[in-house]
Amino acid sequence: MTPFLSVLQENPLLNALDVGGLEKIVAASKKVGYPRGRLIYRAGEELSRLSILFSGQVRIFRREAEGKGKVLAYLTKGDFFGQMPFIKQEPLSFSVDALMDSEVLEIEKGDLEKILKDHLHISEKAQQLGDQEGGEKYYHLIPKMATGSRPSVIVVYGTEDEIGKTTLAINLGVSLIRETKNSVVLLDLTIPEESPRPTATSVLRLDPLKYLSTSDLSMEDLDESLMVHHTQLRILALSPELLKEEAKAPKLVASLIKLLKESFDYVLIDTHSKPTRSIWEALALSEVILFVTSSIDNEVPAGVLSNQEMRLILNLGDEVSIRSTKKGSSHYLLERDYTTLEIFSRSGLPFVVQAPHRPISRTISRLARDLGGRRIGLALGGRGALGLAQIGVLEVLEHHKIPVDAILGSGLGSFVGAAYAAGAGIPQIKRFVLNWFSQGNYSQAWDLRLLKGRLLLGNSLMKLFRALLRDIEFGELSIPFKIITVDAKTGEVVLFQEDKVVDALQESLGLSSAFGPPRAFETASSEVSLNEVKAQHLKEMGADITLITNLVAPTEKDDSKVSLPAPPEPDPFTSRPPTFTLRLDLGKFSWRDFNRAQELIALGAETTLRHIPEIERTYWER
């Protein structure tokens, strides 16, 4: 049997054909070679042929409005793309390029339909495959879809020496294992004598002289060269001699990455700052580039980015102002923690294991969840005293090691969320709140005076806000955080995400109603529940999983029943119901019951505890 027939027999559309039918398809096809980087199909083209990948790897991507490329899928041997038989021809909504040298079998749609005309079951299968994704119709693309899934090749790159790339790579690799329960291999492409920093193997107290030293790759060679750290992180280092062979190294790196992808869920690549052909090859084959830099003003060198995603990792010097750097930026900040770094250097044990609660560890764990598609966005609401129940919610989530990567607050839940996002621990928030209201401050917590038609908060509540949050700004928070409210007079959704958090809290609570949820805003257009609006905003903040808390008491209305105008032109891939809704039945509590703060916190904790198995199942089954 020819290699072409073997590939067709594994094809989900054509595998029902007998050998004679498959041979007719091979005879009607032509084999076309595409070198790495060649564009195969361009978005907007009207195709008349189906392509079946025989060797190599291709990438399916779409250009976003801002010009960035969004990768939809990576295809390997046996996958197919292009114009499906028996499906109405439409312009492509995506582009296809060769990620490495690839061979493709191409057959005209008309020729294929003639061969398949007596096989009605294949026509039905084509229709089913064309519709299987739902939402957006990928009629021209029926591969092993990877839309919304995790990347598998991640390169840690930077142009500065001693910027912490190896430290980041090691701790990120361990975090990916812990946060996703997937396998990770760290591929070391550094050349020790050309780098002023220690290699990953020497940092982890592994054999620094154990290298992959042959270019004739096989899984046996890889198994012999792989080193295993007790955290289950695998490390593979290429010999300096191989990396210095500029003519052969790029092809070796490409083949090695392909082999590793077949055996591991994540291939994490550590590089040095000196650009070489092997480093460029790794960058070209990556899906995500982590650009490590000491300044937000440093730019990625021209030619590094094509269709990859990028995360900016800031490893700041002591003289850099955190406030001026973080404000208005989207990146991960590795705060200087000399004690933690020194212990890591002496012990060889990754600090995400030995000091998981340190800010630098939390940041790297959050990055791992970002890459693994496991970021949890939490919406905390509750008008008046009811919002204090959210302290109990966070307490239980934290106890069960369920991380929170984005917070959307409303009502007094926004104060609880802001304090947590600012880095205050739950014991600190709980102690502060209980002490505050035990001193009788609850009697002045909510001043019912109106100023220009807006509710005016009492001085006591504002003093509480300032005592915990001080002058912190949104850009300085450890966890992405926004405040959402509905203007009680107009019914419009208002977001707060800039400047001082305390000022935003005061203004947002003044806009909303103190006596229950805002009135329903009726409109002739489609209506979206407040839960869906919150879920959509959390997704825009980067959340993969959205957890919405609904606080309901007999004297209050249910937030989830409030109807709002749908956001303009919602993206069908993001405007979905919440992943999980946690309903807190607060019995006979009222928004005025600040003197019952302890009971509210306890009830929030008790309700959340009952739902922990469902929340954990939702998290790990993704």
Side-chain angles (χ1 to χ4, degrees):
M1 181 179 294
T2 68
F4 293 138
L5 287 180
S6 299
V7 171
L8 294 180
Q9 281 189 326
E10 297 175 4
N11 189 284
L13 178 65
L14 306 174
N15 56 14
L17 288 176
D18 57 21
V19 174
L22 295 176
E23 287 177 340
K24 289 180 182 179
I25 292 176
V26 172
S29 304
K30 62 177 180 179
K31 185 175 73 171
V32 182
Y34 293 97
R36 182 173 72 83
R38 175 69 58 83
L39 190 66
I40 301 174
Y41 293 144
R42 187 186 301 276
E45 282 189 61
E46 292 194 7
L47 298 182
S48 62
R49 63 187 183 276
L50 179 72
S51 298
I52 302 171
L53 189 57
F54 178 67
S55 67
Q57 187 178 37
V58 303
R59 171 171 47 191
I60 312 297
F61 64 95
R62 178 189 296 127
R63 291 289 180 189
E64 302 292 292
E66 62 274 18
K68 291 177 60 179
K70 178 181 180 181
V71 176
L72 302 176
Y74 292 89
L75 311 187
T76 55
K77 183 177 179 179
D79 289 334
F80 59 108
F81 52 96
Q83 179 58 52
M84 291 284 289
F86 309 112
I87 297 289
K88 180 183 176 182
Q89 185 169 328
E90 297 177 0
L92 281 175
S93 60
F94 49 81
S95 299
V96 185
D97 66 359
L99 201 57
M100 58 179 64
D101 292 350
S102 303
E103 290 181 306
V104 175
L105 282 180
E106 296 182 348
I107 183 169
E108 291 296 319
K109 177 176 181 283
D111 294 337
L112 183 57
E113 287 178 349
K114 287 178 184 177
I115 297 172
L116 301 178
K117 65 181 180 179
D118 295 326
H119 299 273
L120 296 179
H121 62 289
I122 293 182
S123 171
E124 294 173 359
K125 185 181 287 190
Q127 294 284 351
Q128 292 170 0
L129 288 172
D131 289 331
Q132 69 182 3
E133 290 302 318
E136 183 168 354
K137 297 178 180 178
Y138 289 93
Y139 284 132
H140 315 284
L141 172 64
I142 316 299
K144 302 167 185 174
M145 283 301 297
T147 304
S149 67
R150 58 169 177 77
S152 58
V153 181
I154 303 162
V155 172
V156 181
Y157 178 71
T159 57
E160 303 166 79
D161 290 327
E162 300 188 69
I163 194 62
K165 293 192 291 291
T166 299
T167 295
L168 171 63
I170 292 170
N171 283 275
L172 177 59
V174 175
S175 284
L176 280 168
I177 295 170
R178 293 161 66 90
E179 297 290 346
T180 68
K181 299 189 185 301
N182 286 322
S183 58
V184 180
V185 61
L186 175 57
L187 177 59
D188 187 354
L189 297 185
T190 62
I191 301 176
E193 59 265 33
E194 295 183 6
S195 175
R197 59 195 171 95
T199 63
T201 52
S202 60
V203 170
L204 293 173
R205 308 296 191 268
L206 299 173
D207 185 352
L209 299 178
K210 188 173 183 179
Y211 296 114
L212 177 67
S213 55
T214 176
S215 57
D216 298 324
L217 295 178
S218 68
M219 285 310 301
E220 289 74 19
D221 294 323
L222 292 186
D223 289 340
E224 290 180 7
S225 304
L226 277 169
M227 290 168 277
V228 184
H229 190 254
H230 64 79
T231 58
Q232 298 307 307
L233 177 67
R234 268 70 173 173
I235 297 96
L236 179 66
L238 262 67
S239 72
E241 291 73 27
L242 283 178
L243 287 171
K244 289 177 181 178
E245 292 185 34
E246 285 286 280
K248 297 180 180 179
K251 186 175 181 179
L252 172 64
V253 168
S255 300
L256 185 56
I257 290 173
K258 185 179 179 182
L259 266 178
L260 291 173
K261 284 177 65 175
E262 294 172 358
S263 302
F264 295 92
D265 296 302
Y266 294 97
V267 180
L268 189 60
I269 304 175
D270 188 18
T271 63
H272 52 253
S273 55
K274 179 183 176 182
T276 62
R277 290 184 62 189
S278 59
I279 298 298
W280 282 102
E281 188 72 17
L283 290 167
L285 294 173
S286 68
E287 295 156 47
V288 174
I289 295 174
L290 306 180
F291 183 63
V292 188
T293 178
S294 62
S295 170
I296 199 167
D297 296 323
N298 289 345
E299 295 183 357
V300 180
V304 169
L305 285 175
S306 54
N307 295 308
Q308 304 96 326
E309 297 180 25
M310 189 190 78
R311 307 290 190 276
L312 187 64
I313 314 297
L314 279 172
N315 198 357
L316 300 179
D318 294 328
E319 69 283 359
V320 181
S321 165
I322 292 177
R323 172 171 289 195
S324 63
T325 301
K326 295 181 74 172
K327 185 176 179 180
S329 303
S330 175
H331 54 261
Y332 289 86
L333 173 66
L334 302 180
E335 304 213 20
R336 285 297 172 100
D337 186 340
Y338 292 107
T339 301
T340 299
L341 292 172
E342 178 63 26
I343 293 173
F344 170 50
S345 177
R346 290 203 310 264
S347 68
L349 180 62
F351 50 75
V352 293
V353 175
Q354 62 177 327
H357 298 297
R358 301 291 290 182
I360 190 171
S361 298
R362 288 179 179 267
T363 298
I364 292 177
S365 296
R366 184 160 60 89
L367 173 60
R369 292 190 294 275
D370 174 1
L371 297 170
R374 294 186 181 277
R375 290 168 295 181
I376 292 181
L378 180 63
L380 302 174
R383 265 156 284 281
L386 299 180
L388 299 177
Q390 304 288 12
I391 298 174
V393 173
L394 284 168
E395 185 175 35
V396 171
L397 292 178
E398 189 173 86
H399 178 76
H400 287 270
K401 295 181 171 57
I402 296 174
V404 177
D405 298 295
I407 300 175
L408 186 68
S410 60
L412 205 63
S414 58
F415 160 66
V416 176
Y420 192 72
I426 291 300
Q428 179 188 2
I429 298 172
K430 188 176 179 179
R431 183 174 59 252
F432 214 96
V433 167
L434 292 178
N435 287 344
W436 192 267
F437 291 117
S438 68
Q439 297 171 12
N441 289 312
Y442 60 84
S443 60
Q444 306 169 23
W446 211 285
D447 192 330
L448 300 186
R449 292 174 296 157
L450 294 178
L451 180 63
K452 296 183 180 179
R454 302 297 186 196
L455 191 69
L456 185 64
L457 299 188
N459 288 331
S460 176
L461 204 56
M462 288 308 302
K463 286 180 181 178
L464 171 63
F465 293 170
R466 289 196 174 94
L468 259 180
L469 296 169
R470 303 187 184 280
D471 289 330
I472 195 166
E473 297 187 4
F474 280 89
E476 297 175 275
L477 297 172
S478 302
I479 300 173
F481 173 75
K482 293 181 183 180
I483 298 173
I484 186 172
T485 191
V486 178
D487 191 319
K489 292 183 67 177
T490 66
E492 294 180 351
V493 174
V494 183
L495 274 179
F496 297 87
Q497 54 188 323
E498 295 179 351
D499 300 325
K500 292 182 180 179
V501 176
V502 168
D503 293 343
L505 281 169
Q506 182 173 27
E507 188 173 352
S508 67
L509 291 170
L511 284 175
S512 63
S513 169
F515 304 97
R519 63 180 175 83
F521 183 76
E522 302 297 338
T523 176
S525 63
S526 63
E527 293 181 346
V528 181
S529 76
L530 187 54
N531 279 353
E532 291 180 357
V533 171
K534 290 180 178 179
Q536 182 167 335
H537 282 294
L538 284 169
K539 283 186 173 292
E540 290 172 358
M541 294 168 71
D544 304 292
I545 302 167
T546 53
L547 174 58
I548 312 295
T549 58
N550 284 336
L551 276 59
V552 182
T555 56
E556 309 289 335
K557 296 179 181 179
D558 186 349
D559 278 8
S560 65
K561 300 299 190 294
V562 177
S563 295
L564 299 168
E569 299 182 4
D571 184 340
F573 287 101
T574 57
S575 60
R576 296 170 180 164
T579 311
F580 192 90
T581 302
L582 179 63
R583 180 185 172 94
L584 277 67
D585 187 349
L586 299 181
K588 296 181 180 179
F589 287 100
S590 164
W591 67 270
R592 303 173 182 84
D593 291 334
F594 290 96
N595 58 323
R596 302 177 69 183
Q598 178 75 66
E599 298 172 67
L600 283 161
I601 295 171
L603 187 54
E606 178 186 323
T607 303
T608 307
L609 186 60
R610 288 200 302 269
H611 291 279
I612 283 296
E614 300 168 70
I615 296 172
E616 289 180 330
R617 186 164 56 250
T618 300
Y619 181 76
W620 288 113
E621 285 182 354
R622 280 188 62 80

